[in-house]
Structures are given as structure tokens and as C-alpha cells.
Amino acid sequence: MYREDRDSWFFFAQTGFFGSNVLPLSIYASRDGPETARIEFANLAGRTVGSLERVPLTSRLSDLHRRAVEQFPAPSGSYTWRLVLPDGHVVDETNFRVPLARSLDI
């Protein structure tokens, strides 16, 4: 499975191998086009860490996780982000393949 789907492997590597060195990163989404969304990421203090614009609604949560990790480094190199959806659910192996349009309800 991982040979054909590099984003899945990246997701599992980032979230599974780091143990408890995970920091929550809340997701806030709004449409910025008919088939795209603007995604804002905030840390536990409520400070915006970064945002992505024109993210296709067909993208999977694993794609969003990969982009967040690549574009918004965690405060310490030994930590990684764990995305938290607006409904309070965490992005994990049970939902990482779900499209943004369905998981963010926008």
C-alpha cells in the first residue's frame, strides 16, 4: 500500500514514529472558491501558525497533514504536528484518506 501511496507513508511516519512528541494544530476552513478552501492552522494558544489558500476540496487529510508539516515546522525539531479537525476529532489512521470536503463540512 505505501509503495503506491507516498502520502500515506508520510502520514504514518510523522504521526506513528514520534510517540508522545506530538503537538496539536487546529484546523479552521472556509471556502475561497467553488472547489477550493482556505485553511488556517492554530496552535494551542490560539495563535495562527500559518494558512494555505486554494486547497482543492478533493485533497485528503493526509495531503493536508503533509503540507502543514512541510510548510509550518513545529517549534522543536523533535516534535511533529497532529491535526485537529473543527469537530474535535484528530487526523489519524482512521480518517487520513477522507477528502477535505467531507471532513471539514464546507
Side-chain angles (χ1 to χ4, degrees):
M1 171 173 102
Y2 299 120
R3 185 174 294 163
E4 296 85 28
D5 189 354
R6 291 178 28 203
D7 284 334
S8 295
W9 171 247
F10 183 82
F11 175 81
F12 282 116
Q14 284 291 313
T15 59
F17 296 150
F18 286 98
S20 63
N21 294 340
V22 175
L23 298 171
L25 192 61
S26 297
I27 300 170
Y28 302 95
S30 60
R31 284 186 184 259
D32 65 355
E35 297 297 322
T36 60
R38 181 177 199 280
I39 312 289
E40 289 190 26
F41 302 91
N43 63 19
L44 276 178
R47 292 194 177 124
T48 299
V49 172
S51 63
L52 300 172
E53 295 184 5
R54 305 253 182 248
V55 179
L57 293 175
T58 56
S59 298
R60 298 177 302 174
L61 289 173
S62 62
D63 302 328
L64 188 62
H65 177 267
R66 179 185 48 78
R67 289 184 65 188
V69 169
E70 289 174 354
Q71 294 185 24
F72 316 117
S76 171
S78 63
Y79 287 83
T80 189
W81 296 118
R82 177 65 61 109
L83 300 184
V84 181
L85 300 171
D87 65 4
H89 287 91
V90 174
V91 176
D92 61 17
E93 61 276 354
T94 64
N95 61 6
F96 75 100
R97 290 183 181 221
V98 175
L100 295 181
R102 197 169 90 208
S103 58
L104 299 177
D105 199 29
I106 56 173

